[in-house]
Structure formats: C-alpha cells, structure tokens
Amino acid sequence: METQFSGILTGILAFPFIAAIIILFIDKEQKDVIRTIAAFATGASLILAALVFFTYDADAARTANDSLINSGTGVLAFQFVDRITWIKELGVSYQLGVDGLSAPMVLLTGLASFAGVMISWGIEDRVREFMAFFLLLVAGVYGVFISTDIFLLLFFYELAIFPMYFLIAGWGWVQLREYAAMKLTLYILIGSVIALVGILVLYFQAGAFFTNHPEELAKYPELQQVAYSFDFNHIQLAGQLGAYNEANYLGLGHGVTMARFWFPFIFLGFAVLAGIFPFHNWSPDGHVAAPTAVSMIHAGVLMKLGALTAMRLGVQLLPDGARVHLPWIIFLALTNVVYGAFIAFRQRDFKYVIGFSSVSHMGLVSLGVATMNTTGMTGAGLQMFSHGVMTALFFSCVGMVYDRAHTRDIPSLGGFIKKMPLVAVAFIIGGLVSMGMPGLSGFVAEFPIFVGLWRGVPDSILKNSNYYGIIAIAAALGIILTAAYVLRVVGQVFFGEFDEEKFPDITPIRIQDRVAIYMLTVWLIVLGVYPKIMSGMIESAVAPVVGLLTGGK
Amino acid sequence: MPELMQFSSDDTRSFLAILPEILMTILLLIVIYMDLFLPASRRKSVGYMAGIGMLVIGGLSWLLVPSDGLKVSEQLILGGMVRSDDLAKIFTVMVTLVGGLTCMMGMGDSRLRYKGEFYALIIIATMGASLLSSAADLVMIFISLETLSITLYVLSGFVRRPETPDATQEAFATRSAESGMKYFLFGAFTSAFLLYGLSLLYGFSGGHTNIYRIGEALASGRQDDAPIIVALMLVAVGFGFKISAVPFHFWTPDVYEGSPTPVTSFISVVSKAASFAVLTRFLLAVFPPAELVTVHIKNYSEIWVQLLSILAVITMTLGNVVALSQRNIKRLIAYSSIAQAGYTLMGVAAIATTKSGDGAAAVAYYMFMYVFTNTLFFACLILFTNATGSETIADMAGLSRRNPWLAMGITIALLSLAGIPPAAGFIGKFLLFRAAVDAGLTWLAVIGVLNAIIALYYYLVVIKVMYVDRSADDEKPIAVPAPYGFVMAASAVAILLLGTFLISPVVDWATQAGLDLFRL
C-alpha cells in the first residue's frame, strides 16, 4: 500500500476540528468573533465539500469498479484518497476517500452545518461552548462519511455522538432535554458497540484467512499487504473469498454462517441511528429536545450517517447476510414509513410532526436499500440527500417560528405567512418535497424507490419477491398520510387568522436565517429539476453493491 | 526432566534494569534530608523536589532501561529475582510518572503540603510498585507487594486530628483513620491468603521460588491437580484484593472515600497498575499455556482463563450497577474503578489464548491510559473539594461556569473512562475487546460493551450536572494553583495524545511488552 495524499478530505475534517480548538481559547464575551470563526470553518468545509461533489468522476468510478459491477469480485475504488499508516500493529490506517454515495453526503453535511451556524447566530448562552461542540460534532460526522478504514469510521462515529449529548442537554428544550439526550446517546451507542464486536469478529476472521492465503491479498497491490487490517476493502475482500461462509457457525445449525449471524447485529446496530423501527424511539424526542441547529444536523445528517454506515458495514461487507435478512428487514422499513407518518399526523406539537416525518422518510431509505436492485438503491441514495436538506429546512423553519411565537402547539398558531412570508414559502416547498411533488427533489428520490420495489429483488438473489409489490402499495399509504399531515400543518400554522394579541412581537428574521433558507431550498429545486447532477454519481456507487449482492449474475 | 531455567548474570543489564529503583532510593534520601534540615519557610521545595525528581526518573527509565526482546533466561537477572522485559519497563515508567504527578497533587492539599513524610511514603510505594511489575520470584513478589501495601495503609490513614478544633477536619481525620484501618485489615487478611498460596506453589514445584521454574515444574505434571488449583485460588484472592475485583472489593469505596484524595488517586492507579502487571506475568509464568513451556503435560491455563472470565463479568457488572446509585463522587469513582478492573481482567483472561500477546498488550495499554485518566480526574476533584468542601455530585452543579478548564478536565477524564474518542479510553477499550474476541471470548466482549453503556450513563450524569445544572455559586470562580495546573495539563494532554497521535508508538510498545511474555 502506498501513501497517498490529496488533502481535500483532510481539509474538510481539519477546518471544524481546528476551529473548535481555537474557539475554546477565545474570550467568552467575544461572541461575534466566535460565531464568525465557526461560520468561516463550516463555510470552508462546505466549499471543499462542494469541490468534492462537483469534481467527483462518476464515469471513472464506474470503470474502476467494473469488476465489482460485473462479477461481484474486486475492491471498491474510492476517490480523493488520503492514506497514511496510523497504528501499524493493529492494521489501522488514516484512510479517507469518497464514493458516489458518500460524496453527496459530504455535501449535505457541508450545507447543514453551515446553515446550522447561520441559524444559531441568535444563541446567547455560552456561545463558545456551543460552537465548539457543534464544530466537533460536524467534524465527527464528516469523518464517518469519508473514512474508508473501519476503525477510523468507528472512531468518528463515537466522536460524533458525545457532542450531540452535550448540545441537546445543554441548549435544548428545557422540559425534555436531559431525558432525550440520554436516551439518544444510549440507544445509538448500544447499537454501535454491538456492531463493533461483530466488526472485530470479521476482522479476526479476515486476518486468519489472509494469513493462510497471502496470495489472494497479493493480487491487490493497492491494499495493505498485512493479514490483519481494518481497511474496509480488506475485510470486504475476505468476505468475497468466502471467509465468512463456513456453515454451522457457533454450532447454530447448517444454514448459519458468520456472515448471516452477524449481519442483523451490524446492520440494525447502525440502522438504530437511521431510526429503524422498533429502535426509532430516540429520534422524535431527540429532534424535539435539540436546539434548532442540532436538530438540523441530527435529523438532516446524523440519521443518514446511520443509514450509510448500515449500508457500508452491513450490506457491502456481508452481502450474503444481506441476501438472507433484508427480505424480512423490509417489513421493519415499511412499518417506519406507514407508522411514522401516522404518528406524525396525530401530533399537536409542530416539531414532533417533523420528528416523526423523519422516521417515516428514513423508512423509505431502508426500503430502497432492501430492494437490492440498482434503481431502488439509487433512490435510497437520492432520498438520503433530499430528506437531509428538506428536514434541515423544516427544522430551521420550525425554529424560527418557535423563537418568535414561543409555542409549537399547532392549533394555537396561525396566519404566520403574513408575518414571515419567506419562512412560509420555504416550509411549503419543503412540504411539497416531503409529499413527493414532481419537479422537486422528493419526487426524484421516491419514484425510483417505488419502481425498485415493483421490480423486486433480482432473481439471482431471491426467487420469490412478489410481496415487494404489496409493500410498495402499503408504503404508498405513507405518502398519502404525509400529504395529509403536511397540508394540515401548513394550513394551521401559516394560513388562517393571525392573532396580533397572542403574538405581539413577531420580529422579522435575520439575514443569516435568510442565507440558510435560500441555500437549502435551492438544492431541493435543483435536484428536482436536474436529478442527473446526483443520480449518475449514486448509481455508480450502488452498482458495485448490487454486483456484490448478485455476484454479477 | 527438563533443564532448569537459567538466569543471566550480565552486570550492566542488572544495574540498568533496577536503575529506576536505585534512583528512587537516592531521591528518597534527599527528600528525607530536605524535610529534616530545611527551614519551615522553604518546605514547599520538598514537594517540588519529589515531584519533579520522580518525573525525571520516569523519563530516565524510559531512556535507559534496556528493551531488547531477548530470551527469558537472558532477561532474568539478579538471581532470577527480577525479569527486565518491556512489560516491566512500561509499568515502571507508568508508575513513576504517576508517582511524580501524585507528589505534585499533594502540594495542593493543605493537610499534606508540608509533610515531608508524605512524599517519602509515595516514593517508597512507587518503588514497591515498580519492583512488583518486574518481580519474577515468589520472594520478590511478596516483598515488593508488601512494600507497596504497607506504605499505602499508612498513607490512607494519613490525615491527623487538627491541633485547633475544627469539626470538618476532625470528620476527615476520623474517616481517614477508619479507611486506613479497614484497608490494613483487609490487606493483611488477603496477604495471608496470598502467602499461603505462594508457599503451596513453592512446595509443589519441588522447592523453586522463581516463577518460571515453578511453571516448568508444574507443567511437567508430577503433582495432583487439586492442590495446585487450591494454590491458584489462594493467589487469586491476594491479587484480586489489590486490583479490587469482586468479591474482594469491599474495601474500595470506603478507602477511596476516606483517604486524602491524592492518596486515593495513587491507590487507584499505581497499586492497581502494578498488580495487573504482576498478575499477568505470574499467571503466564506459573500456569503457562502449552506453547510457553518445553515440557508440557499439564495445562492449568484453561482453569484460570475460566476463573478470570467469570471474575471479569462479575466485577464489571457489579461495579457499574452499584455505581449508578452513588451520590458521592469519590464513591462513584471507586465503583467505576472496580468496573475498570473488570474490563482489564477481560484482557488478562485473554492473554493465555492470544498467542500474539494481544491480551497483555491490551492490559498494558489500558493501564497506561488509565493511570493518567484517574490522575487527571482526582487532580480536578481535589480542586473542586477544596473550593466547595463537598464531595457530592449534586454540588458539582454549575462547575463549567465557575471554571471551564476544571470542568473540561473532569469531562476528558470521564469520557476516557467511558471509552469515548478522542480520549485514550476508546483505544484502551477497543484493544481489550479486540483481545477478548481474538481469544475466542466473544461473549465476554459482548458483556463488556454492554457494561460500557451502563457506565456511560453515570459518567454522562456527572458531566450533565457540571454543564447543565445551575447552582447558587455559579458566579464564584475557582482558582487553579500552579502545581495543579501542571498535573491537569500534563495528564489531559497525555490522555488526548494517547487517544490520537501517540496511539501507534504506545501500542507498539505495549505489543512488544506482550510479545516479550511469549518469547521463550
């Protein structure tokens, strides 16, 4: 393995990290300086993230992953690779890279974090600590998306969770924050540490395998030539060569292999963060309790972090496990979509509506993944981005309304379009995205997911996947409910009579808020009108996954 | 009949290997001299002398003590009393550095500041700990263990009644005396068990005192199993007490609560680290797995792997669960340290089956980061207690507003204990779980990670109280005196570096230490 260093991804990571440290040494009364530094750091990362997104070469990725796509063997090619050996004894390297799935996620993190700093301009309590933790969170999230070494990924994963706790417990909604923050942290960490044990099992199995078959490793000179390594490709390659397929694992019966045994633990362990039913309970409480900027990162980005990690370390690492388990996990995803939408419909609290809508929409992502075909998975990737931007926009709108009205009770609000027209328009656009209106990003994301569901699982994986069509119909119910709750909220909050006596001091929104709203809304429209900007890239990344799942057949 | 294990008589090596202990003895004499002859006005320099002296010795041991991966017979020196390998070295460096930091901590405690004998005792205890981690002979093990223990009994009961009547100080003195007494009684009791176990081993091995010779004698299988297992159990009681493994942990919360805080810190790190070192070495030498002995008829390693796995589960679960209900921060950390011992035991259980030495490496790394973590925590705690006169968690409310650096120090320490990156605890736990999985003890690793989640809960509660809760004293800042600032900064930086940039060299070193144990 050679050392490579293009530095762009390291730069994306370094800006928020360094800024967080600098901020700690600034006098706490210089609030504007602190805010400016945070804005500068997230802005710089956003620019680099956009650079990564726009210069990512999907065609080159398709060519490089040719053998994975066509025969399901080979190693996954990443772009913008930074690679330095870190802990030699453990086979850990500092290894960053993006593929077509993570590049949009990096951009999403950039957008949500910059918008988050803009929205948080009004926070006055302990700005220094808030911004430092926020930047640490952002750095952790970036780190997970761009790590291609599993140790590094877990390192950033855990790193991202703990500032989350602080931000919610310290600056959240007083009535719920301590409970919600603790619940969120424990849920997410339980999932990830159990997955961690699974990863360790695979690591040793792969190491033992390559100790006996060093010639297999030598075929891929781009990998680290040591038996034990946490490199994603390394562990994945051992799986392709059948290292995890020994029957009768742990004496559990003929059909049980290591891959099949550990897949649910690893996949669901990370899917907890994507809010999969029945482990979604932390998410609405967490969203509601968190301060606005944190809700944006939380629902907008963090849940995708769970979905992407479940996809990477679950489906891509253990395709054989995925083949066996995804056909039933799809029912959990379906429950997410319908049940989440239904609960959202019943909420009186403005923020809870959005919180449960996230549960519902993330269910669509899992549905897309579970189709195991290119169309559905591409839809899942698009949905991750689309929902991320949309929900960040939703939460910023809710935050702006709440900051001024001091209530989130839907029936007692009303007529806010008269006072806050921009917020209303942005929320309505977000709502239309949420419903899947053509011309907006929601449609281009949800449509392929449903097409993928109709197509069902490729025959080479599962012979009889007819029930996927029924799932598509049932999931459509979720879309109808979405339309219902979105229209209800829009109608009751933004239209109707405005009560001057109840809300006497509705101040106009700040310039920073406008920046955030414009920045997010533009993406919803651009992606809706011109989906190719992202779909080709995502397709180039899911094709190898499907190749792995079908074995190229 | 196998050949007896030979000992090296390389004089230079022998000298260099015990150089840290020689230097500590010189420092001890200097400190006693200064204490006797310096005028009261310049007494403060005694603390600086002891603290900086120990840190320098720590650095020198790192530079000078040989580390060359030779065969066992070439590393056994001084008639087989001591084995100078990397495991001994890493623990010597660790305890010496932390001993130095503890002296600095003592300088901030009004009851200890001007007492030269406090520093002298710390130096003696450190010397005992350092020798214990390299001891390779039953006699040496017992002598160094008692050197460490007896000084700690004295230190634990160090607070005397004040000359002027003062209710709070008298309460402290009573608690301190009680904890010293309790520690002594428990300690003496378990020492007797240990000694009995050691004497059985001496007898059954046919009169050997060197642990490697005993190992070979036992493995050649001329004895009945039952008495050997009894001896193993008796030894386990003795060491189990030192590392506060359940069910030998009863002294821990009381002693932690009653001792002067710098002493608590010292007990929780130095004594525990050295005991883990000797436990690791002892088990591998006396009850070796098959590949560690030339003649192999009996293998007792499976028995202690089982025993330690069970101890690990009980220890970490009980420690964590009881910690959940604690209101006093020192008691909380006492139970947390019991739980930490449980995690570490997991690594010790893994040493026999991981041929690569992963288990020992994990234990060494874990202790390395743990000593700095607890030192940081207790340094911060002393400041907090000095300022508020309280040790309850509820009184920590608003600490982040009173002194953000203090709150951050405690936070870093707690996150490290909880195993959250970028603090070093993450790598520490990761290595332990990795060793357990490597040793085929996946079930143990699963119980370990679930315990880590329970532990995270009570650590986060403390952090929450400091950052979120408000108190009436919010606006009263807490000052940080110079020696504390140094201790806090040094250990916080150590924790963060060990968790990020310095992982590689220290893990390499620890792995080297682990491999040394597996080199015949």
Side-chain angles (χ1 to χ4, degrees), chain B residues 19-97:
Chain B
L19 184 67
E21 286 82 4
I22 296 173
L23 289 175
M24 274 187 253
T25 316
I26 297 171
L27 183 66
L28 172 67
L29 295 175
I30 297 174
V31 165
I32 292 176
Y33 175 85
M34 284 171 78
D35 183 43
L36 286 177
F37 295 106
L38 276 188
S41 60
R42 294 179 55 203
R43 280 291 176 76
K44 209 174 174 184
S45 51
V46 180
Y48 275 115
M49 181 71 210
I52 295 169
M54 292 287 270
L55 291 178
V56 170
I57 294 174
L60 283 178
S61 359
W62 180 65
L63 289 172
L64 295 179
V65 173
S67 139
D68 38 22
L70 295 176
K71 288 197 293 185
V72 181
S73 55
E74 291 169 76
Q75 289 182 331
L76 283 169
I77 49 165
L78 301 173
M81 282 289 160
V82 164
R83 179 174 174 189
S84 76
D85 57 359
D86 263 310
L87 189 78
K89 182 174 169 181
I90 198 169
F91 276 93
T92 300
V93 170
M94 171 192 321
V95 296
T96 324
L97 289 180

Side-chain angles (χ1 to χ4, degrees), chain A residues 398-418:
Chain A
V398 173
M400 287 173 214
V401 171
Y402 177 64
D403 285 346
R404 288 163 181 81
H406 308 291
T407 176
R408 293 192 308 259
D409 186 42
I410 295 169
S412 47
L413 295 163
F416 273 74
I417 195 163
K418 298 189 184 98

Side-chain angles (χ1 to χ4, degrees), chain B residues 238-254:
Chain B
F239 289 135
F241 163 78
K242 292 302 292 180
I243 59 174
S244 56
V246 176
F248 319 111
H249 68 286
F250 291 104
W251 60 277
T252 316
D254 295 338

Side-chain angles (χ1 to χ4, degrees), chain B residues 112-456:
Chain B
L112 309 170
R113 193 177 297 155
Y114 300 118
K115 296 213 164 78
E117 59 270 33
F118 167 76
Y119 304 109
L121 285 171
I122 291 280
I123 295 173
I124 298 174
T126 310
M127 197 157 56
S130 166
L131 273 178
L132 186 60
S133 56
S134 55
D137 189 286
L138 300 184
V139 177
M140 195 65 200
I141 289 176
F142 194 72
I143 292 178
S144 48
L145 191 70
E146 290 303 298
T147 312
L148 174 61
S149 303
I150 293 171
T151 39
L152 287 183
Y153 306 146
V154 178
L155 280 171
S156 173
F158 202 80
V159 180
R160 272 162 269 175
R161 281 186 186 283
E163 281 135 23
T164 49
D166 176 346
T168 351
Q169 289 302 321
E170 272 174 33
F172 271 122
T174 314
R175 268 199 338 206
S176 174
E178 182 196 329
S179 84
M181 197 61 191
K182 203 170 220 164
Y183 195 21
F184 168 70
L185 287 176
F186 266 105
F189 191 60
T190 49
S191 279
F193 275 91
L194 178 68
L195 194 57
Y196 189 37
L198 296 184
S199 67
L200 285 180
L201 289 175
Y202 171 72
F204 291 126
S205 64
H208 292 302
T209 56
N210 182 280
I211 54 174
Y212 292 92
R213 285 188 178 172
I214 296 176
E216 301 214 316
L218 294 186
S220 61
R222 273 164 300 158
Q223 313 78 17
D224 289 337
D225 285 347
I228 307 276
I229 294 167
V230 169
L232 170 63
M233 300 282 182
L234 291 171
V235 172
V237 173
F239 289 135
F241 163 78
K242 292 302 292 180
I243 59 174
S244 56
V246 176
F248 319 111
H249 68 286
F250 291 104
W251 60 277
T252 316
D254 295 338
V255 171
Y256 275 38
E257 193 186 356
S259 305
T261 311
V263 178
T264 308
S265 164
F266 191 80
I267 293 174
S268 78
V269 294
V270 171
S271 162
K272 184 175 267 176
S275 307
F276 268 112
V278 71
L279 182 65
T280 310
R281 183 189 303 285
F282 184 88
L283 288 174
L284 273 183
V286 177
F287 308 102
E291 59 277 359
L292 272 183
V293 273
T294 41
V295 177
H296 163 62
I297 295 167
K298 289 242 171 94
N299 184 353
Y300 298 101
S301 66
E302 278 157 28
I303 298 171
W304 59 259
V305 169
Q306 298 282 329
L307 180 72
L308 290 191
S309 305
I310 295 164
L311 271 188
V313 170
I314 302 175
T315 305
M316 59 183 148
T317 311
L318 189 123
N320 278 328
V321 171
V322 179
L324 287 175
S325 61
Q326 298 305 312
R327 297 189 191 290
N328 177 303
I329 184 74
K330 274 169 101 176
R331 287 186 85 85
L332 177 107
I333 223 69
Y335 282 105
S336 132
S337 91
I338 292 173
Q340 302 287 335
Y343 302 133
T344 320
L345 274 174
M346 200 161 75
V348 184
I351 53 179
T353 27
T354 58
K355 314 321 185 256
S356 48
D358 277 354
V363 172
Y365 182 90
Y366 200 79
M367 280 295 126
F368 203 93
M369 74 87 202
Y370 180 69
V371 294
F372 288 107
T373 304
N374 261 21
T375 305
L376 172 63
F377 179 82
F378 281 110
C380 296
L381 187 63
I382 294 173
L383 282 181
F384 161 74
T385 321
N386 282 352
T388 59
S390 159
E391 287 176 358
T392 53
I393 295 172
D395 285 335
M396 297 174 87
L399 200 60
S400 75
R401 292 165 203 272
R402 301 181 67 176
N403 186 332
W405 296 106
L406 190 59
M408 187 174 295
I410 297 184
T411 305
I412 291 176
L414 291 179
L415 290 179
S416 183
L417 289 175
I420 302 285
F426 175 71
I427 313 292
K429 286 226 167 59
F430 188 84
L431 289 173
L432 286 176
F433 298 142
R434 175 176 173 273
V437 172
D438 193 14
L441 299 167
T442 309
W443 64 275
L444 196 56
V446 171
I447 294 178
V449 294
L450 293 179
N451 261 288
I453 299 289
I454 304 179
L456 183 69

Side-chain angles (χ1 to χ4, degrees), chain A residues 86 89 126 166 178 189, chain B residues 415 456 463-464 467 504 508:
Chain A
W86 185 16
E89 295 288 343
R126 286 184 293 171
F166 262 135
E178 287 172 24
L189 278 179
Chain B
L415 290 179
L456 183 69
I463 295 177
K464 184 217 78 179
Y467 279 85
S504 192
D508 285 0

